[in-house]
Amino acid sequence: MGLTYHFTFKAPANKTAAELETFLRGVEKEAQALGFKPTLMLNVNFDTTERKQFSRRLTTGWPVEDERLKGANLPDDSRVWHHNASEGTCRMPPSKGVVLVVTDDHGSETIFGFFQFPEAVRDTHRKVVAETGLKGCWAFQDHVKSPDKRYREIVKRFKDAGYLVEELDEYKPK
């Protein structure tokens, strides 16, 4: 177990990948000034088998919970991850990503950025079973298990830009 610092970001659907990349390039400069190295900027469409497999290294997908997922016949491929038919949950893989990878002093990588996800979960007959609720918005959620204040400074950049939706810092005293 242990303490965790959670954060969720969203950007409007009308933001382009190039606009988000420009924002993240500024965050990257600050991360480098804070001592994160190396850093890596990615702007990618997950449109091939290899890229879809690579996306699993960047995210666990967007969580979807819906009663209609219980017992649903979903495709057993890269269009849906971790379907739990008894619980009515699954995770949607991203279709696009604009992300910044930062590496701390111990070699641990952390991802910050934005992904676009399909708007609906579809069954094997392509019928809509559930919606992601994102309506085309770019979204991201992750956590770090570190009290390092530098992570909070990076998240503050997202907050100042209006992208921070939720933040839970279990390291802060109550």
Side-chain angles (χ1 to χ4, degrees):
M1 191 93 169
L3 301 176
T4 308
Y5 177 48
H6 303 266
F7 39 89
T8 302
F9 309 138
K10 278 191 185 172
N14 65 355
K15 284 284 184 183
T16 67
E19 289 172 313
L20 295 173
E21 182 176 351
T22 298
F23 166 73
L24 288 174
R25 291 274 180 210
V27 175
E28 180 179 34
K29 285 182 180 162
E30 184 171 330
Q32 290 168 341
L34 291 169
F36 287 103
K37 61 182 176 179
T39 61
L40 175 66
M41 191 63 220
L42 299 169
N43 184 344
V44 62
N45 289 320
F46 301 111
D47 54 0
T48 66
T49 300
E50 294 80 18
R51 289 178 180 184
K52 287 176 184 180
Q53 289 171 347
F54 177 68
S55 73
R56 287 180 177 266
R57 295 181 59 196
L58 302 174
T59 181
T60 58
W62 190 256
V64 179
E65 294 181 32
D66 192 299
E67 287 292 316
R68 296 174 292 174
L69 291 169
K70 290 183 177 180
N73 186 11
L74 300 183
D76 186 19
D77 61 16
S78 63
R79 290 177 282 174
V80 177
W81 296 342
H82 310 294
H83 177 223
N84 184 325
S86 62
E87 297 286 324
T89 62
C90 72
R91 290 191 167 267
M92 293 299 293
S95 53
K96 296 178 185 179
V98 184
V99 297
L100 170 64
V101 182
V102 301
T103 308
D104 71 10
D105 309 335
H106 306 288
S108 296
E109 294 177 338
T110 302
I111 311 269
F112 296 95
F114 304 94
F115 293 106
Q116 275 192 325
F117 298 89
E119 292 189 37
V121 180
R122 296 179 182 275
D123 67 13
T124 54
H125 302 290
R126 307 285 302 147
K127 180 184 172 211
V128 172
V129 177
E131 294 79 24
T132 61
L134 294 171
K135 298 181 172 123
C137 288
W138 296 84
F140 180 86
Q141 58 183 197
D142 206 350
H143 65 275
V144 293
K145 291 191 169 291
S146 173
D148 189 332
K149 293 182 191 300
R150 297 178 301 167
Y151 294 110
R152 283 115 185 111
E153 290 183 45
I154 291 172
V155 171
K156 185 177 182 318
R157 288 285 308 268
F158 286 81
K159 181 179 181 179
D160 292 345
Y163 297 132
L164 181 66
V165 173
E166 188 174 25
E167 176 183 35
L168 173 61
D169 192 347
E170 295 174 343
Y171 291 93
K172 279 189 176 179
K174 304 242 183 230

